[in-house]
Amino acid sequence: MKKIFISFILLCCVVSIAFGQANGNLQLHFIDVGQGDAAILISPEGETVLFDNGVAKYCDMPVSYLRELGITKMDYHVASHYHDDHIGCTSEVLDVFPLKIAAYDRGHTYATNVFRRYEKIIGVKGRTAIPGDTITMDSTTTDPVTIKLVVSNGDGINTTNENDLSLVSVISFGKFDVLMGGDLSGFNTDNYKDIESSVASKVGQVEVYKVHHHCSNYSTNDKLLSIIKPKIGIISASGIIGRNHSLSSSCR
């Protein structure tokens, strides 16, 4: 029987080591990093993937949480995009939990010191995500965990907004699916483009949705929700990691 553990636990709480690495369950921990994103996926066999890594200057938060879990290394890192509330702790985290296999991102460059530090620490393990690429964990078991890299860089829509360019990933474990799309946009404005509508059909129905762009005014449109139909929504923002069984675009 497949077992899944999703953590909404805040850093101030005591986390039992029983929730740690290689306990036979699929674990997905959404880490309280304040106004930013970081989540750790631990496969039943103990393989690890870090999705983003927290906010620059507040790196003690993800590092402390990962230590509480008993993490010793990071097999993969997936960067949704290059803003400092998503990759601001790359050096601090990977210095403590060394990257073993690969780091996936949208490719290209970004003219900030945070990006340059990210690029330096990732080094030769950096991989540009190509839509359709799949990371397979526990590959020798009968119940592998897969992470499909669905789209990036605006899904063919002409935009230079870094949020619009977010890498979209879908985690799958049997019939359980999770959408991780960074700060993807869903509305056309002077600054943003609607990327969510074209992405939605490529994702399909999921059980868990890490709400795009911290539930901003310009994400989570009605078309996306009508297709992905999540049972749980995770909002990662300053002081908030929440669950909502009836997400709607009214979260804007």
Side-chain angles (χ1 to χ4, degrees):
M1 178 182 293
K2 295 180 175 68
K3 294 182 179 179
I4 299 163
F5 172 82
I6 302 175
S7 173
F8 307 99
I9 301 171
L10 302 182
L11 272 173
C12 61
C13 299
V14 176
V15 181
S16 169
I17 197 65
F19 291 155
Q21 199 161 326
N23 72 356
N25 300 328
L26 175 67
Q27 302 171 63
L28 181 56
H29 299 256
F30 292 89
I31 305 171
D32 179 8
V33 293
Q35 188 63 39
D37 268 351
I40 178 73
L41 176 71
I42 309 173
S43 77
E45 297 293 314
E47 295 186 55
T48 52
V49 183
L50 187 65
F51 293 87
D52 294 333
N53 56 57
V55 185
K57 299 182 181 179
Y58 298 97
C59 300
D60 57 316
M61 300 175 78
V63 169
S64 296
Y65 192 91
L66 293 168
R67 279 178 168 154
E68 288 281 357
L69 290 177
I71 301 296
T72 58
K73 47 82 179 177
M74 210 60 64
D75 292 305
Y76 298 94
H77 184 281
V78 177
S80 64
H81 63 297
Y82 300 143
H83 282 159
D84 64 3
D85 59 332
H86 290 256
I87 61 164
C89 297
T90 306
S91 178
E92 289 82 354
V93 170
L94 295 185
D95 279 351
V96 178
F97 313 100
L99 181 65
K100 295 300 183 181
I101 301 175
Y104 288 87
D105 55 46
R106 69 176 190 82
H108 303 281
T109 60
Y110 194 61
T112 65
N113 288 333
V114 167
F115 173 76
R116 283 186 281 271
R117 287 195 297 271
Y118 162 82
E119 196 173 37
K120 182 177 180 180
I121 196 69
I122 294 304
V124 297
K125 291 185 173 70
R127 303 285 185 272
T128 297
I130 298 172
D133 279 352
T134 300
I135 300 169
T136 302
M137 307 162 71
D138 298 356
S139 59
T140 61
T141 70
T142 56
D143 293 316
V145 182
T146 63
I147 302 165
K148 184 177 180 180
L149 308 178
V150 182
V151 299
S152 65
N153 294 308
D155 196 27
I157 295 171
N158 186 24
T159 178
T160 59
N161 185 287
E162 185 61 23
N163 295 314
D164 295 352
L165 301 174
S166 291
L167 173 61
V168 178
S169 306
V170 175
I171 302 164
S172 296
F173 183 53
K175 295 181 179 180
F176 176 77
D177 302 291
V178 183
L179 171 58
M180 308 284 284
D183 284 357
L184 204 67
S185 306
F187 295 85
N188 291 311
T189 72
D190 290 342
N191 296 315
Y192 299 102
K193 297 293 184 182
D194 174 11
I195 314 300
E196 288 178 340
S197 292
S198 70
V199 168
S201 61
K202 298 176 182 179
V203 171
Q205 197 272 323
V206 301
E207 282 62 54
V208 177
Y209 166 43
K210 199 292 296 177
V211 179
H212 296 152
H213 204 177
H214 322 286
C215 203
S216 81
N217 287 344
Y218 307 109
S219 295
T220 310
N221 68 31
D222 289 330
K223 181 174 181 179
L224 176 76
L225 289 176
S226 71
I227 292 175
I228 68 171
K229 294 183 173 67
K231 297 178 180 178
I232 296 174
I234 309 295
I235 301 170
S236 181
S238 183
I240 299 173
I241 295 185
R243 180 169 64 178
N244 187 330
H245 287 281
S246 56
L247 272 175
S248 73
S249 57
S250 64
C251 73
R252 300 195 305 275

